Amino acid sequence: MAKMYINPNVKLGHINKEIYGNFSEHLGRCIYEGLYVGETSDIPNLNGMRTDVVTALREMGLAVLRWPGGCFADEYHWRDGIGEKETRKRMINTHWGGVVEDNSFGTHEFMELCRQIGCEPYINGNLGSGTVQEMSEWVEYLTFDGVSPMAELRKKNGDEAAWNVKYFGVGNESWGCGGNMTPEHYANEYRRYQTFCRNYGDNKIYKIACGPNVDDYNWMDVVMRIAGHHMHGISLHYYTLPTGNWSDKGNSLIFTDKEWYETLKRTLYMEELITNHDHIMSKYDKEKKVGLIVDEWGTWYNVEPGTNPGFLYQQSTMRDALVAGINLNIFNKHCDRVKMANIAQLVNVLQSVILTEGAKMVLTPTYHVFHMYQAHQDAELVDSHIDTEMIGAEDNNQVPNLHESVSVGKDGKLHITISNLSAASAYSVEGLIADTKILTVNGSIVTGTIDAHNTFDEPETVNRIAFTDFTVTDKGIDFTIPACSVLHLEAEIA
Ligand code: AHR
């Protein structure tokens, strides 16, 4: 029996609700069709936003949404997306799929979407091909409530009151699609652009610099050294590719046990990345004032056969549920440094929480993990440890069998989230909870075969179901976690 040790009295940090964020880019069918169908659509909508999708996202507790990219952000000129829709510029989305972008979803629509979902907006500005003035005026347009040309323009376009926009990104992947810059060049550009992203009234901008790709530790070091004092957060991008090979990333639905473990091993690499980047950041910011913002993470497979390669449409299985559970546990455990995370992407793109087809909508296994984990939002991380054994299909691809994080939630309850990484074996766990009386326990679980997934014809194959295979003991909670599952135990404690 594996022992799990929890000490609810040892609080290790605050888990920002923004760790439970997502990302929506003008890419494929994420914005158009997935979120926004327009006021005249037959698909039920409120001000153009799909009612089914918005309702599901509210229920999932989506905390923050990043927009408009991604690579698209550094080609996006915000003025193209305001004013009368008929006169908005039509253009080709050169980055993603070569389709027509009619700019019918712009600033006002994004803010309306966030209002309906009840999430924080996170806007990513254009440093790659936009000017300092353009970025500065976007912030003014969004947040200035006094008399100014941008405030007047916003009012003319239908929104009298300024919005609260806290999170603002200054460039995206500036080492690549955002301008192919060196870290020195970017850091200096960042310092210049951010100077003109002003705070108006009570609105305080949390400025997010473009951070490294994966293990580019030099980028982190240089940008922190040159610009660390001018930022509140710095991003990190890391995608899980089952094969590690960009030219053949593997299939989302058909994979072997070997690929299962390889995917999970590559997911666990997030732990090492965060630890190493945190150390570098601490050279310049010992007090951990600058947040690490993991604003792109998740699985990336070959696109589904027959779909536009530029649309990045992929299906999602229990493997993705495990990838989500593990990453979210890692972010929770690093909540002293990780202040936000945004899985890529929200609907119909990469590791989506929702897929749509016309008027139909399906929730993916990843959706159900986010739904369960919302209990950790704005909770206090507590000390936990689990004894694990290494498992896997090959000697050089071993992973721990179990992976956990634990918090005391805003509701005062203990929330244990634990994943079983084994494709085939269940494990019994003796949960030892120090100095705490367990009053009641509720469990829910997402489980299935490794390739179990939901389709438009069978949307309920993977769901959150009640979990009752536990016993409350005088020392804590004992339970058996089935193979390939993500479990949430919620305990009332005294
Ligand atoms: O999420 C898809 C793309 O991945 C984003 O546009 C870009 O930032 C990253 O390379």
Side-chain angles (χ1 to χ4, degrees), residues 251-494:
N251 190 291
S252 68
L253 294 175
I254 303 161
F255 54 91
T256 59
D257 276 14
K258 175 180 165 299
E259 285 172 282
W260 160 268
Y261 288 111
E262 205 172 333
T263 308
L264 300 187
K265 188 166 179 188
R266 289 181 190 283
T267 302
L268 289 157
Y269 181 48
M270 183 66 91
E271 171 74 42
E272 181 180 330
L273 285 175
I274 292 176
T275 304
N276 291 344
H277 283 299
D278 180 21
H279 281 153
I280 296 167
M281 291 173 76
S282 292
K283 268 172 71 180
Y284 306 99
D285 172 38
K286 271 199 227 46
E287 291 161 348
K288 304 205 186 209
K289 287 189 184 145
V290 178
L292 186 60
I293 309 297
V294 190
D295 60 16
E296 291 189 30
W297 67 271
T299 53
W300 194 323
Y301 308 118
N302 296 335
V303 297
E304 293 308 313
T307 64
N308 185 329
F311 279 17
L312 310 187
Y313 178 73
Q314 64 188 40
Q315 249 292 3
S316 201
T317 64
M318 273 307 298
R319 177 169 58 162
D320 299 83
L322 267 289
V323 170
I326 292 167
N327 272 305
L328 293 171
N329 282 339
I330 294 173
F331 301 148
N332 285 348
K333 288 209 165 190
H334 285 275
C335 65
D336 58 338
R337 183 61 92 179
V338 176
K339 298 298 173 190
M340 191 200 296
N342 310 74
I343 188 173
Q345 296 193 7
L346 195 56
V347 188
N348 294 331
V349 171
L350 299 176
Q351 193 179 342
S352 323
V353 295
I354 290 174
L355 302 175
T356 66
E357 198 178 79
K360 293 189 208 155
M361 174 190 87
V362 75
L363 307 176
T364 67
T366 303
Y367 174 93
H368 295 296
V369 172
F370 269 80
H371 196 292
M372 290 195 307
Y373 272 66
Q374 63 184 295
H376 288 304
Q377 291 188 20
D378 279 333
E380 300 304 312
L381 178 75
V382 302
D383 189 32
S384 69
H385 170 81
I386 190 157
D387 289 340
T388 57
E389 57 186 87
M390 298 304 279
I391 56 168
E394 302 171 304
D395 287 350
N396 60 352
N397 250 329
Q398 298 275 300
V399 297
N401 57 338
L402 300 166
H403 195 270
E404 100 301 346
S405 72
V406 184
S407 73
V408 172
K410 281 186 298 188
D411 54 7
K413 294 179 184 164
L414 189 68
H415 294 283
I416 304 167
T417 48
I418 174 164
S419 292
N420 181 348
L421 282 65
S422 171
S425 306
Y427 295 99
S428 295
V429 178
E430 181 181 13
L432 301 166
I433 306 176
D435 302 325
T436 308
K437 188 167 163 44
I438 305 293
L439 303 175
T440 60
V441 178
N442 270 307
S444 52
I445 193 164
V446 179
T447 190
T449 54
I450 58 173
D451 58 354
H453 60 279
N454 294 332
T455 64
F456 296 101
D457 294 331
E458 291 183 52
E460 302 282 330
T461 304
V462 181
N463 207 337
R464 301 179 311 282
I465 52 172
F467 175 81
T468 51
D469 195 6
F470 60 82
T471 314
V472 176
T473 68
D474 53 356
K475 293 187 198 142
I477 313 165
D478 294 352
F479 56 93
T480 299
I481 181 167
C484 180
S485 51
V486 183
L487 169 67
H488 172 209
L489 294 173
E490 167 189 289
E492 250 187 291
I493 52 176

Side-chain angles (χ1 to χ4, degrees), residues 205-246:
I205 302 277
Y206 183 100
K207 297 171 189 171
I208 300 172
C210 166
N213 186 29
V214 194
D215 59 351
D216 187 347
Y217 298 122
N218 181 53
W219 182 280
M220 178 60 93
D221 199 299
V222 172
V223 175
M224 280 300 292
R225 175 169 54 77
I226 299 177
H229 292 304
H230 299 277
M231 64 179 72
H232 303 97
I234 184 164
S235 65
L236 167 66
H237 289 182
Y238 172 55
Y239 285 97
T240 302
L241 273 65
T243 60
N245 174 1
W246 280 100

Side-chain angles (χ1 to χ4, degrees), residues 73-302:
D74 283 292
E75 293 190 1
Y76 184 62
H77 300 284
W78 66 270
R79 283 172 191 259
D80 295 343
I82 57 172
E84 292 301 324
K85 295 208 174 172
E86 299 69 44
T87 57
R88 292 189 194 177
K89 274 187 194 160
R90 286 167 65 81
M91 52 186 58
I92 302 297
N93 186 336
T94 45
H95 216 97
W96 301 115
V99 289
V100 173
E101 163 65 62
D102 68 3
N103 280 300
S104 55
F105 188 96
T107 301
H108 294 256
E109 290 75 20
F110 176 65
M111 296 308 295
E112 168 63 8
L113 175 65
C114 292
R115 186 192 69 77
Q116 290 188 24
I117 297 171
C119 68
E120 292 275 344
Y122 166 15
I123 292 188
N124 210 119
N126 176 349
L127 179 141
S129 69
T131 63
V132 175
Q133 180 180 3
E134 183 180 353
M135 189 182 286
S136 172
E137 288 183 344
W138 201 5
V139 174
E140 182 185 330
Y141 186 88
L142 288 158
T143 62
F144 188 59
D145 235 346
V147 178
S148 86
M150 290 305 112
E152 290 313 310
L153 187 58
R154 183 193 65 241
K155 290 176 193 170
K156 185 170 146 251
N157 288 330
D159 274 288
E160 190 62 28
W163 294 287
N164 289 319
V165 176
K166 181 172 175 187
Y167 299 108
F168 197 87
V170 182
N172 167 73
E173 298 199 348
S174 306
W175 36 261
C177 65
N180 284 305
M181 300 175 200
T182 63
E184 290 80 5
H185 183 73
Y186 171 74
N188 286 319
E189 287 292 89
Y190 171 82
R191 286 172 62 132
R192 188 162 72 104
Y193 275 71
Q194 67 79 34
T195 305
F196 303 95
C197 295
R198 307 220 186 266
N199 290 329
Y200 295 110
D202 293 337
N203 193 75
K204 300 277 175 285
I205 302 277
Y206 183 100
K207 297 171 189 171
I208 300 172
C210 166
N213 186 29
V214 194
D215 59 351
D216 187 347
Y217 298 122
N218 181 53
W219 182 280
M220 178 60 93
D221 199 299
V222 172
V223 175
M224 280 300 292
R225 175 169 54 77
I226 299 177
H229 292 304
H230 299 277
M231 64 179 72
H232 303 97
I234 184 164
S235 65
L236 167 66
H237 289 182
Y238 172 55
Y239 285 97
T240 302
L241 273 65
T243 60
N245 174 1
W246 280 100
S247 50
D248 184 6
K249 299 179 277 299
N251 190 291
S252 68
L253 294 175
I254 303 161
F255 54 91
T256 59
D257 276 14
K258 175 180 165 299
E259 285 172 282
W260 160 268
Y261 288 111
E262 205 172 333
T263 308
L264 300 187
K265 188 166 179 188
R266 289 181 190 283
T267 302
L268 289 157
Y269 181 48
M270 183 66 91
E271 171 74 42
E272 181 180 330
L273 285 175
I274 292 176
T275 304
N276 291 344
H277 283 299
D278 180 21
H279 281 153
I280 296 167
M281 291 173 76
S282 292
K283 268 172 71 180
Y284 306 99
D285 172 38
K286 271 199 227 46
E287 291 161 348
K288 304 205 186 209
K289 287 189 184 145
V290 178
L292 186 60
I293 309 297
V294 190
D295 60 16
E296 291 189 30
W297 67 271
T299 53
W300 194 323
Y301 308 118
N302 296 335

